[in-house]
Amino acid sequence: MHLSNETMNVGFVKKVEALSGTSVRRCFQCGKCSAGCPMSGFMEHPPNRVVRLLQLGQWERVLAGRSIWYCASCETCTTRCPNKVNLASIMDALRKLSWDADGPSKESYVQLANRLFIENIRTYGRQYELRLGAAFNMKSGQFLKDLMLGPKLLSRGKMKLFHSKNKNLPEIEAIFNRIEEMRKKGEAL
Amino acid sequence: MTSAKKHIRHYAYYPGCSLHASGREYDISTRALFKALRLGLQEVPDWFCCGATPAHNVDELLSHSLCAKNLTLADEVEGDLAVACAACFSRLKTTQHHLKRDDAKRKQVETAIDGPASLDKPVKHILEILARDFGLAKLEESVKKPLLGLKVASYYGCLLTRPPEVPDLDDCEDPSIMEDILRALGAEPVKWSHRMECCGANFTLSRPGVVLHLSNAILKSAQAAGADCIMVACPLCHGNLDIRQQNIESKNQTDYDTPIFYITQLAALAVGVAADKLGFESVIVDPRPMLKEKQLI
């Protein structure tokens, strides 16, 4: 295969590099990231292949797949890369680009969990675990998931039925709004 | 008596969301331990969620902004910032690390939080407060009931040491801070293979199958090493190994019955805090029968 700026789709690679603050192009495919990755068995493309696909301009295959959503952010890859490629940050950048494009990936459960978790911050300030679990079950259609766990956690005080909102909720909301505003104006990625 | 006389050192405290909910015994035992060691602990007023993994997973700017605002709130309380949750610790330190080195990023965050980002308060995990600030020698002197005969597998997980330049807590492949503390408490740390393998973290909500697979390997390895229990310093690791343990056993047709302790529960027990003040009634795998058998309670 002939490698050029065009076939590499260097524009996309540069966007990933800007977001992640690391070099996609520096990877020489030693595979150490995938060897230590606890999640590679769940991915269709292990971490080193995700980077290789980016280098070859095949980013659409990466965004459409499950791999980026199955990364646990354990940072083992970043810690061990001999070329100092911050792969965990590349995964963050790819998820953001996929998220902004309204999630072309088939992996919807992880995206749903992320969305509910972030919504919880905006609505309550602190995580409301009961609501997080219940909303996930409702929206993913898994009504019976972990149903037996609820009473166990409630009876041990590990889960609360009621949850108070932070007093400074308007300040938290303002952070979300200012970020949205900056993005609208093109002042932030 | 003023707090300065009563306490030998004072800390601001960021418990994080889990410590007010599923990890409540971590909060209870942290407060009990600090009180016993005469360390002051004052919760940061109006702290809120650091964003944890979901925020940085899809929105780095949001993640840094949430952490920077919390760091600003922490400035209102005297002392270094004590953090118990490994994920909160990692996120707060990541924000300090990146914003100190990237002016453009810092400016964006300052626009988002509508004020200067305050990045200089030392953020410390409970482990380093015990081993370094308080000190191992003094900890050993404070022990009233040494944990003799207790074989403990110390589990670090991911975020206490990785990536190495951020937490700056211990070696990223071969740490020893947990084992050092255990020895000071009179316990016996075991050598085992899965100290730093991932437990499956927040997949417990979205893809619990991942947790059942990864945490099974951790429990299996601790059992093979002859550990009586596992010690953790993160509420998410605790949840996956304790709350999910019965799921893991039935899926893999095994029987572990391995109690999972927070570092603060074991340390508090050793320095003489009563067992009924450490939240043992909240955990799923009840550690009390094992502790009684070892004559530790």
Side-chain angles (χ1 to χ4, degrees):
Chain A
M1 189 180 185
H2 174 68
L3 279 183
S4 67
N5 277 355
E6 273 161 34
T7 57
M8 274 184 72
N9 200 332
V10 94
F12 186 84
V13 169
K14 280 188 175 161
K15 214 189 258 181
V16 173
E17 291 183 338
L19 272 168
S20 66
T22 192
S23 169
V24 169
R25 290 168 281 188
R26 205 161 56 208
C27 166
F28 57 23
Q29 290 292 307
C30 71
K32 197 165 184 172
C33 49
S34 300
C37 175
M39 299 299 292
S40 59
F42 295 94
M43 297 172 172
E44 75 271 68
H45 307 301
N48 72 304
R49 208 191 297 158
V50 166
V51 178
R52 191 62 183 145
L53 285 167
L54 294 181
Q55 290 176 337
L56 296 175
Q58 307 272 313
W59 58 273
E60 280 154 324
R61 284 174 65 188
V62 174
L63 294 199
R66 282 192 311 273
S67 298
I68 55 174
W69 297 105
Y70 268 85
C71 157
S73 302
C74 75
E75 303 271 356
T76 308
C77 49
T78 297
T79 299
R80 294 181 182 167
C81 176
N83 264 354
K84 294 202 186 311
V85 176
N86 189 343
L87 195 46
S89 283
I90 291 177
M91 289 292 192
D92 276 351
L94 290 168
R95 280 185 291 254
K96 182 178 188 311
L97 292 167
S98 170
W99 184 264
D100 290 349
D102 211 11
S105 163
K106 291 181 287 290
E107 172 47 50
S108 57
Y109 287 173
V110 180
Q111 296 190 62
L112 173 63
N114 281 353
R115 198 172 69 237
L116 294 172
F117 191 94
I118 294 170
E119 275 174 17
N120 244 349
I121 302 175
R122 218 169 167 161
T123 316
Y124 296 98
R126 298 174 190 169
Q127 289 302 319
Y128 183 4
E129 292 176 348
L130 179 68
R131 183 184 182 271
L132 192 61
F136 182 82
N137 282 15
M138 296 301 287
K139 297 201 171 165
S140 66
Q142 304 173 91
F143 303 110
L144 303 178
K145 177 179 168 281
D146 291 330
L147 205 61
M148 302 312 288
L149 227 49
K152 258 190 215 170
L153 299 179
L154 283 167
S155 67
R156 285 170 170 80
K158 277 181 168 285
M159 213 181 233
K160 289 175 196 150
L161 277 178
F162 303 104
H163 183 87
S164 54
K165 294 181 178 185
N166 267 47
K167 276 188 291 184
N168 55 350
L169 210 54
E171 283 176 59
I172 300 169
E173 175 65 20
I175 294 174
F176 281 87
N177 291 335
R178 285 189 211 104
I179 291 174
E180 279 164 16
E181 202 58 33
M182 283 159 77
R183 290 199 170 120
K184 253 186 235 161
K185 288 190 207 154
E187 292 167 5
L189 283 168
Chain B
M1 199 187 282
T2 66
S3 73
K5 276 183 192 161
K6 196 169 133 203
H7 297 127
I8 51 174
R9 195 162 171 162
H10 195 89
Y11 292 91
Y13 179 39
Y14 182 88
C17 305
S18 299
L19 272 77
H20 277 211
S22 57
R24 69 189 289 271
E25 63 274 21
Y26 198 8
D27 182 54
I28 292 169
S29 55
T30 297
R31 291 176 192 275
L33 174 67
F34 273 56
K35 196 176 165 196
L37 298 179
R38 292 200 302 131
L39 297 171
L41 200 60
Q42 189 188 337
E43 198 162 327
V44 172
D46 296 326
W47 63 269
F48 57 95
C49 179
C50 70
T53 306
H56 82 77
N57 255 349
V58 296
D59 194 339
E60 194 204 20
L61 176 57
L62 174 66
S63 170
H64 286 321
S65 303
L66 297 174
C67 287
K69 181 72 185 172
N70 274 305
L71 288 167
T72 308
L73 295 175
D75 261 354
E76 291 164 26
V77 184
E78 173 200 344
D80 297 347
L81 185 62
V83 186
C85 169
C88 302
F89 169 70
S90 170
R91 292 324 306 164
L92 294 168
K93 289 209 76 157
T94 299
T95 292
Q96 286 187 327
H97 181 87
H98 285 294
L99 299 194
K100 274 183 189 169
R101 286 161 182 78
D102 188 334
D103 279 348
K105 216 175 261 181
R106 200 191 74 237
K107 276 181 192 142
Q108 288 184 345
V109 167
E110 289 181 335
T111 304
I113 65 171
D114 195 25
S118 168
L119 304 169
D120 294 324
K121 191 192 264 296
V123 173
K124 290 180 173 169
H125 192 271
I126 304 289
L127 287 170
E128 58 189 313
I129 292 174
L130 284 184
R132 311 223 173 98
D133 288 6
F134 192 76
L136 290 169
K138 211 163 150 196
L139 185 62
E140 203 171 341
E141 281 168 28
S142 309
V143 169
K144 295 197 176 89
K145 288 198 299 183
L147 306 175
L148 295 174
L150 188 66
K151 291 184 182 166
V152 187
S154 38
Y155 177 62
Y156 290 82
C158 304
L159 299 176
L160 288 172
T161 59
R162 290 193 292 261
E165 66 278 7
V166 172
D168 194 26
L169 182 73
D170 204 345
D171 190 278
C172 63
E173 297 286 2
D174 188 19
S176 64
I177 190 166
M178 282 187 166
E179 284 82 356
D180 294 342
I181 292 174
L182 282 169
R183 279 188 209 98
L185 302 176
E188 186 187 326
V190 301
K191 282 194 173 173
W192 66 307
S193 55
H194 277 57
R195 295 193 304 160
M196 316 198 50
E197 300 297 319
C198 179
C199 68
N202 67 337
F203 285 107
T204 191
L205 178 63
S206 54
R207 290 284 180 191
V210 168
V211 172
L212 300 189
H213 179 74
L214 296 179
S215 287
N216 179 50
I218 293 164
L219 289 163
K220 197 171 166 181
S221 162
Q223 190 182 49
D228 299 313
C229 58
I230 297 176
M231 181 179 86
V232 301
C234 169
L236 213 53
C237 301
H238 192 280
N240 286 339
L241 294 170
D242 175 61
I243 298 173
R244 290 268 177 215
Q245 195 172 131
Q246 286 165 352
N247 284 154
I248 293 168
E249 288 173 335
S250 56
K251 185 176 179 250
N252 297 285
Q253 292 173 329
T254 49
D255 188 17
Y256 295 117
D257 203 19
T258 301
I260 315 296
F261 289 102
Y262 285 108
I263 160 76
T264 44
Q265 288 178 310
L266 287 182
L269 198 60
V271 302
V273 178
D276 61 0
K277 299 255 187 312
L278 296 174
F280 290 142
E281 71 285 354
S282 275
V283 298
I284 304 285
V285 183
D286 191 344
R288 288 170 293 190
M290 185 272 287
L291 290 172
K292 271 185 198 141
E293 199 183 301
K294 300 250 168 204
Q295 298 179 327
L296 294 171
I297 58 172

